[in-house]
Amino acid sequence: MASFPPPHVVEDIPQLLQILSDGTVVRSAYTYPLPIPTPPPGQPVVQWKDVVYDASHDVCKLRVYKPQAASSSSGEKLPVIVYYHGGGYIMGSFEMPCFHNCCLRLAGELPAVVLSADYRLAPEHPLPAGLDDAANVLRWVRGQAVAAEDGDPWLAELADFGRVFVAGDSGGGGVVHHTAVRLASGQVGRLDPVRVAGHVLLFPLFGGEERTASELELPPGQFLSLPVTDKGWRILLPPGSTRDHPFANPFGPESPAMDSLPLPPMLVVVAEYDLLCDRAADYVARLKAMGKSAELVKFQGQDHGFFSVQTYGDAGSEVVRLIKRFVHDNGGVAAVSA
């Protein structure tokens, strides 16, 4: 009987992911035991449960969070935050303690109904699979709005479908951008009575062939370095593509134009020591030049992913206040309703 050599590593992102010669993907345990934030005393009690939003794919589930103190008896509905976790499109889940705690805090302190969604990951499911899933989350939300009392009881009781905000961090921030473009260009389809009132991008993952100053000058961070991001894009993008591919660069030569799109307000958060910070700043500057409503907030002394790693720190508290203010300010503004 013929013997075959054991599989060998053909792609390696140290401490994160390996691809073997037989196609097996090995994700490091390092991706899960990130520091588990400890909620301080007095945090609002939040209930949560997991539901399926697309039964055709096993991974397509989301975690629903609601503040325990909220009640429909007051007649007041809560805004809905759709949240896409980070992980560079290749790892992550709402089950990871860091992302779970972010959503607990947002649900309890805004307060809001938070829907934290998993989506298919590359390389097993190449892009745009994860982006398609993200759009399906919004279609699921519309289905709940249309179903009303026959839908999920938590959403039927508390969700204000006229105040839906789409948020995400790192790779999830990139998902938010692509979802915003798809929504505004009509690719998601009819959403009414759901109204997406704004988007929140926390240190979004963008790329490009031309290096930015922050990429060239900042030292490697705890989670990101140029070799890591370059390898990640090589795994993610179609063979032969450059980092100017639309999946990576919102303003690449083949990326969809956003000038005429009816984008709702954007809040973009960056960190001083994040090597991606200049790309996010350029993103906001270009949106403003198009006449879009876009706000950039830069956190001094912080690195990429600080909200999920230090959810209950001072900077994390300020992120929650920013999102709360953004949701409040845009709750009554006309926005996209595809």
Side-chain angles (χ1 to χ4, degrees):
M1 177 178 289
S3 61
F4 298 94
H8 60 278
V9 176
V10 295
E11 286 284 2
D12 183 18
I13 303 180
Q15 297 183 309
L16 297 178
L17 175 145
Q18 291 182 331
I19 302 176
L20 306 186
S21 54
D22 64 356
T24 300
V25 176
V26 180
R27 290 180 172 84
S28 171
Y30 174 82
T31 61
Y32 283 85
L34 292 168
I36 300 175
T38 301
Q43 282 295 115
V45 177
V46 174
Q47 297 174 292
W48 55 271
K49 65 179 180 180
D50 298 343
V51 302
V52 174
Y53 68 85
D54 183 353
S56 62
H57 302 291
D58 290 342
V59 74
C60 291
K61 302 175 183 178
L62 54 82
R63 183 161 288 178
V64 185
Y65 300 80
K66 73 165 184 173
Q68 183 171 285
S71 171
S72 61
S73 61
S74 66
E76 183 177 352
K77 300 279 189 174
L78 299 179
V80 177
I81 310 295
V82 175
Y83 196 91
Y84 300 116
H85 66 75
Y89 302 104
I90 60 175
M91 63 185 189
S93 168
F94 61 62
E95 294 182 335
M96 291 177 65
C98 54
F99 302 126
H100 178 69
N101 279 279
C102 289
C103 294
L104 282 175
R105 187 157 194 199
L106 291 172
E109 295 185 42
L110 291 187
V113 175
V114 177
L115 309 175
S116 183
D118 274 0
Y119 47 91
R120 285 172 290 171
L121 300 176
E124 300 97 322
H125 305 284
L127 290 174
L131 306 180
D132 295 341
D133 294 341
N136 283 336
V137 172
L138 291 179
R139 296 185 181 105
W140 181 87
V141 172
R142 179 184 184 267
Q144 296 300 312
V146 171
E149 298 302 321
D150 294 325
D152 182 273
W154 286 10
L155 273 68
E157 176 189 19
L158 294 173
D160 181 350
F161 293 106
R163 290 189 294 159
V164 174
F165 294 81
V166 181
D169 68 280
S170 192
V175 173
V176 173
H177 159 74
H178 291 290
T179 302
V181 170
R182 288 184 174 202
L183 175 60
S185 58
Q187 297 177 54
V188 177
R190 182 179 178 182
L191 280 190
D192 61 296
V194 170
R195 184 175 70 93
V196 175
H199 297 287
V200 180
L201 294 77
L202 305 177
F203 24 88
L205 177 62
F206 294 141
E209 280 297 297
E210 184 178 352
R211 300 297 193 191
T212 66
S214 61
E215 289 173 338
L216 293 172
E217 297 170 6
L218 289 176
Q222 180 181 3
F223 301 110
L224 285 186
S225 65
L226 278 184
V228 166
T229 56
D230 286 353
K231 285 185 178 181
W233 288 125
R234 186 170 67 246
I235 290 171
L236 283 168
L237 299 177
S241 300
T242 72
R243 294 188 302 273
D244 283 332
H245 188 280
F247 291 156
N249 188 347
F251 305 106
E254 297 180 3
S255 299
M258 292 185 280
D259 306 62
S260 61
L261 295 182
L263 296 170
M266 300 266 196
L267 171 64
V268 180
V269 172
V270 299
E272 179 184 12
Y273 298 130
D274 183 355
L275 62 86
L276 299 179
C277 66
D278 283 354
R279 293 201 179 277
D282 178 68
Y283 179 79
V284 171
R286 293 194 188 211
L287 289 179
K288 285 185 173 181
M290 298 174 196
K292 313 301 182 187
S293 174
E295 177 184 2
L296 178 72
V297 179
K298 186 173 185 177
F299 279 74
Q300 301 300 315
Q302 300 297 325
D303 202 347
H304 185 85
F306 70 89
F307 179 51
S308 57
V309 176
Q310 302 174 19
T311 309
Y312 293 100
D314 291 342
S317 296
E318 184 57 28
V319 169
V320 173
R321 285 191 289 268
L322 274 172
I323 296 175
K324 183 173 185 176
R325 186 261 302 160
F326 180 76
V327 168
H328 179 270
D329 288 353
N330 292 290
V333 178
V336 174
S337 181

